[in-house]
Amino acid sequence: MSGSKAATGRVAKITGGFWARRQQAVIEKGISHGYEQLRETGSFEALEIAAGTRTGSIRGYVFRDSDVYKWLEAASLAWAVQPSNDLRERIDHVVSLVGAAQHSDGYINSSFSNENAPLRFHDLTRDHEIYCAGHLIQAAVAHRRSFGSEKLFGIALKFCGLLNREFGPDGKVGACGHPEAEMALVELYRETGDQRWLSLARRFLDARGQFPRVLSGSEYVQDHLPVSEQREAVGHAVRCLYLFAGAADYVRETNDARLLEAARAVWEDVYHGKAYITGGVGSRHDGESLGAQFELPNARAYAESCAAIAAVMFNQRMLNLDGDAKYAAMIERTVYNGMLSGISLDACRYFYVNPLESDGTHERKPWYDCACCPPNLYRAILSFTDLLYSEMEDGIRINLFADSEFKGNRFGVRVKTDWPWSGDVRIEPASFGKYSLFVRIPAWCLDAEIAVNGEPVSGGAPERYLRIERDWRDGDFVTLRFPMSARFVRSHPLIRENHGCVALMRGPMVYCIESADNEGRDVREFRVDARAPVEEVPMKVCGEPVVALRISGSYPVSRSRVPYEPAESEPPQREPAFAVAIPFFV
Ligand code: FUB
Ligand code: ZN
């Protein structure tokens, strides 16, 4: 893939299938649900109090405004897919709340208004003001792209002007305890071409890990080492992954070799043994943090939904830099498992943490006091479309498969598929002439069949892009067959909680066995026979047609009543049985 540089831009569209259903749920239900929750939990009220149009005191997390910005970003993306007057009115209303809360010098943060105004930029380690600014910028860019309006964009630019006066070349050295603004500022630079925003992103990246400290010096806030000297993924999972996503964005614009080396090393560290099979990241509740290599407990997994989203963002940016299919593979694993698990099929209930094992008491909730995940899930699902394709100088890279179409600056393509339930994909070039299609062969697919106009094409290898170069004509088509049979996967022996266990997967999906689908039995006692055939059982779960799997194995005839027994005693007798597994994310 060398010499091919990917372009950015919202040029893909979901045309049906699984992702149309996911996006419709967010657009038709999630966005309204989120709006009501933000209203009921006081986020709009906080902006009104900050604006002086309401009296009262502002409570809650200091980053509460970021939830409003994430909602605005998602709502703007939703409007671009499916415009409606109701949605437009809500967006306009929220934009005017934000505008009214802006101070005359550009500052906005409801938590640091009125009597708390003197605390502005007082505690960069904890106070999330620059983090909130980052989410405001991202919302503003999305709003401008959807509506062509300068209103929110102008508000964000005014705040950025203030940030530049405070922390730019004539200001002080500083950074935010929670990285985020780096990604946003690079995107703002792409949107405007204004070098100031790229330089400010650089200043925020450079301020970390230096002496004298501008933050607390801890791993938790990514201040333990200069970013370009980091080689291990440590600290708070979302902060770490957002930071390196921002660093990768910066590298894309500048080719900074030291930052690139750091980002590559941190990626290797995450995927060598700090990510779950679901793509979830963050093994520890303590500090919402990454664990040590292979420290991946199942029931105690943290795996915050936001960390899965951050991992997708990091991989997306690394994919754009290096063009390696391994990044797309991790996007796919994370999206279909650790990220989508965070949101119910109707998009109105959410997990904050996504453990891989539960006693049945861990359930999705309609909202959280710390509400970072729900609106982050909305925007992630609506911007999934951006992950599908990359337009290159010499063609189109197809990173992920979804029923969709892509119209780039030079090349276009249409894809028909029932992915992730079927591995059959049909690709129709929608622009003609000589160029290449780079098709990703998933790592789990050892027997892919690829054909152009029915003629087999050879040369594909798992976890690589297969280049198909042709003079494409109207009527040409490419067919991909990636057989999706169920498979058992074992983990590294040092992932100690998985001793004696296998995971069950089909295509990109990780599966889950629950008592609810197995006559209330204690499925922890089920012992699988991994050599027996697995039966596919199409079924509907909350309206979603899924492929469930029926696996063979056994249960003990009688349950042991004692915790310990002599090792030489006969193990309990077992009787053959089946267990039904459904995709983890549902
Ligand atoms: O600090 C803002 C957000 O709240 C983080 O990204 C989440 O991990 C949660 O702590
Ligand atoms: Zn979250």
Side-chain angles (χ1 to χ4, degrees):
M1 307 297 294
S2 59
S4 299
K5 200 160 185 195
T8 53
R10 188 170 296 276
V11 281
K13 194 165 108 187
I14 298 291
T15 45
F18 180 86
W19 282 97
R21 294 192 290 277
R22 300 284 72 72
Q23 294 191 340
Q24 279 309 308
V26 170
I27 293 169
E28 287 169 11
K29 298 197 179 134
I31 297 278
S32 320
H33 175 86
Y35 180 89
E36 290 307 329
Q37 293 290 333
L38 288 168
R39 194 173 57 74
E40 282 168 22
T41 55
S43 286
F44 299 153
E45 203 177 289
L47 288 166
E48 287 169 351
I49 296 169
T53 52
R54 181 189 273 267
T55 53
S57 54
I58 294 161
R59 279 183 290 271
Y61 288 95
V62 287
F63 48 86
R64 71 174 317 149
D65 294 355
S66 66
D67 303 331
V68 175
Y69 301 144
K70 281 187 253 184
W71 181 89
L72 267 177
E73 180 181 349
S76 301
L77 298 174
W79 195 86
V81 176
Q82 194 171 298
S84 83
N85 290 340
D86 279 0
L87 183 59
R88 179 78 209 236
E89 272 170 30
R90 284 179 164 175
I91 292 172
D92 288 350
H93 172 62
V94 179
V95 169
S96 54
L97 290 178
V98 175
Q102 185 161 42
H103 298 222
S104 54
D105 62 357
Y107 184 86
I108 319 178
N109 192 306
S110 62
S111 298
F112 300 97
S113 301
N114 306 334
E115 70 277 14
N116 288 330
L119 297 178
R120 193 198 264 202
F121 298 130
H122 183 71
D123 186 349
L124 295 178
T125 301
R126 290 197 185 83
D127 283 348
H128 287 74
E129 293 152 282
I130 305 172
Y131 165 89
C132 289
H135 279 298
L136 170 61
I137 296 165
Q138 289 170 333
V141 169
H143 185 262
R144 186 188 208 218
R145 288 179 186 164
S146 291
F147 296 104
S149 156
E150 297 297 316
K151 191 156 178 213
L152 190 61
F153 198 69
I155 294 168
L157 277 182
K158 197 167 167 194
F159 196 3
C160 289
L162 173 74
L163 288 178
N164 203 42
R165 291 195 295 283
E166 288 278 337
F167 302 105
D170 302 323
K172 52 182 177 281
V173 176
C176 188
H178 198 312
E180 210 287 334
E182 298 76 7
M183 278 185 274
L185 285 164
V186 176
E187 200 58 29
L188 185 61
Y189 160 72
R190 291 179 184 141
E191 184 74 11
T192 58
D194 188 335
Q195 198 70 35
R196 278 182 303 164
W197 313 131
L198 190 62
S199 308
L200 191 55
R202 171 95 233 186
R203 283 180 66 82
F204 286 149
L205 287 167
D206 281 351
R208 314 187 94 88
Q210 306 291 347
F211 294 100
R213 298 290 194 202
V214 295
L215 298 168
S216 64
S218 70
E219 290 178 349
Y220 178 76
V221 294
Q222 296 294 314
D223 193 32
H224 55 298
L225 275 178
V227 181
S228 56
E229 289 176 25
Q230 288 204 40
R231 295 293 180 271
E232 289 176 21
V234 293
H236 182 271
V238 183
R239 292 172 203 237
C240 171
L241 296 169
Y242 274 3
L243 176 65
F244 281 95
D249 265 334
Y250 184 80
V251 172
R252 178 113 190 267
E253 301 307 322
T254 60
N255 295 319
D256 185 293
R258 293 186 66 228
L259 276 178
L260 177 58
E261 197 185 336
R264 284 183 180 146
V266 165
W267 187 94
E268 290 294 338
D269 191 45
V270 172
Y271 292 104
H272 182 61
K274 295 185 178 176
Y276 287 92
I277 195 165
T278 56
V281 182
S283 325
R284 297 185 188 165
H285 283 241
D286 183 19
E288 307 187 302
S289 67
L290 290 131
Q293 280 293 342
F294 305 123
E295 178 192 342
L296 292 164
N298 292 318
R300 280 181 296 108
Y302 200 71
E304 183 184 339
S305 300
C306 285
I309 295 167
V312 170
M313 290 172 157
F314 180 31
N315 276 290
Q316 176 190 20
R317 285 152 175 86
M318 294 307 290
L319 177 61
N320 280 335
L321 285 175
D322 284 348
D324 192 318
K326 69 182 182 184
Y327 301 114
M330 289 307 133
I331 293 175
E332 181 159 77
R333 166 173 296 204
T334 310
V335 163
Y336 284 109
N337 301 290
M339 187 185 105
L340 281 182
S341 59
I343 185 164
S344 58
L345 289 162
D346 70 359
C348 295
R349 287 182 311 125
Y350 317 92
F351 277 142
Y352 188 108
V353 302
N354 294 269
L356 282 80
E357 181 187 327
S358 152
D359 62 4
T361 54
H362 181 66
E363 297 202 334
R364 294 188 184 89
K365 295 190 169 62
W367 207 247
Y368 291 84
D369 288 343
C370 173
C372 50
C373 300
N376 218 7
L377 286 159
Y378 305 154
R379 67 178 192 142
I381 288 172
L382 293 170
S383 50
F384 172 80
T385 321
D386 296 345
L387 304 170
L388 299 173
Y389 304 94
S390 306
E391 187 166 32
M392 325 290 289
E393 281 159 17
D394 43 3
I396 305 172
R397 205 172 58 205
I398 303 178
N399 304 314
L400 302 169
F401 306 103
D403 212 83
S404 59
E405 51 187 49
F406 172 78
K407 264 196 213 110
N409 293 326
R410 295 172 54 208
F411 313 114
V413 82
R414 272 188 298 272
V415 168
K416 288 298 231 188
T417 180
D418 193 23
W419 202 276
W421 308 124
S422 156
D424 291 349
V425 182
R426 181 184 168 97
I427 305 170
E428 293 172 3
S431 57
F432 309 114
K434 198 160 178 215
Y435 65 94
S436 297
L437 291 178
F438 299 89
V439 177
R440 183 174 67 91
I441 318 271
W444 44 263
C445 186
L446 306 176
D447 41 8
E449 290 171 29
I450 299 168
V452 176
N453 301 333
E455 293 294 317
V457 174
S458 61
E463 201 156 38
R464 295 267 180 281
Y465 286 93
L466 170 67
R467 181 178 193 152
I468 311 174
E469 187 178 14
R470 266 177 85 89
D471 190 357
W472 297 102
R473 312 259 158 135
D474 195 5
D476 283 348
F477 63 96
V478 180
T479 46
L480 315 175
R481 298 210 68 200
F482 299 133
M484 277 192 183
S485 44
R487 64 191 189 280
F488 291 102
V489 179
R490 67 165 183 262
S491 63
H492 191 287
L494 290 180
I495 306 179
R496 298 170 67 121
E497 280 223 4
N498 292 345
H499 280 189
C501 297
V502 284
L504 175 60
M505 295 189 73
R506 179 182 181 276
M509 295 293 189
V510 175
Y511 277 70
C512 176
I513 308 181
E514 293 182 300
S515 298
D517 304 311
N518 289 282
E519 294 124 18
R521 296 192 79 157
D522 186 343
V523 293
R524 290 171 299 184
E525 302 248 34
F526 184 75
R527 185 189 292 163
V528 65
D529 177 357
R531 284 154 312 185
V534 177
E535 192 190 335
E536 300 196 345
V537 190
M539 66 188 246
K540 281 207 165 178
V541 179
C542 302
E544 173 65 24
V546 310
V547 177
L549 300 173
R550 197 161 176 264
I551 55 178
S552 304
S554 62
Y555 281 105
V557 174
S558 58
R559 297 185 76 175
S560 176
R561 300 198 176 275
V562 290
Y564 309 107
E565 284 177 289
E568 60 274 14
S569 64
E570 275 296 306
Q573 284 208 329
R574 305 186 71 87
E575 60 189 359
F578 292 102
V580 173
I582 62 167
F584 173 80
F585 91 94
V586 297

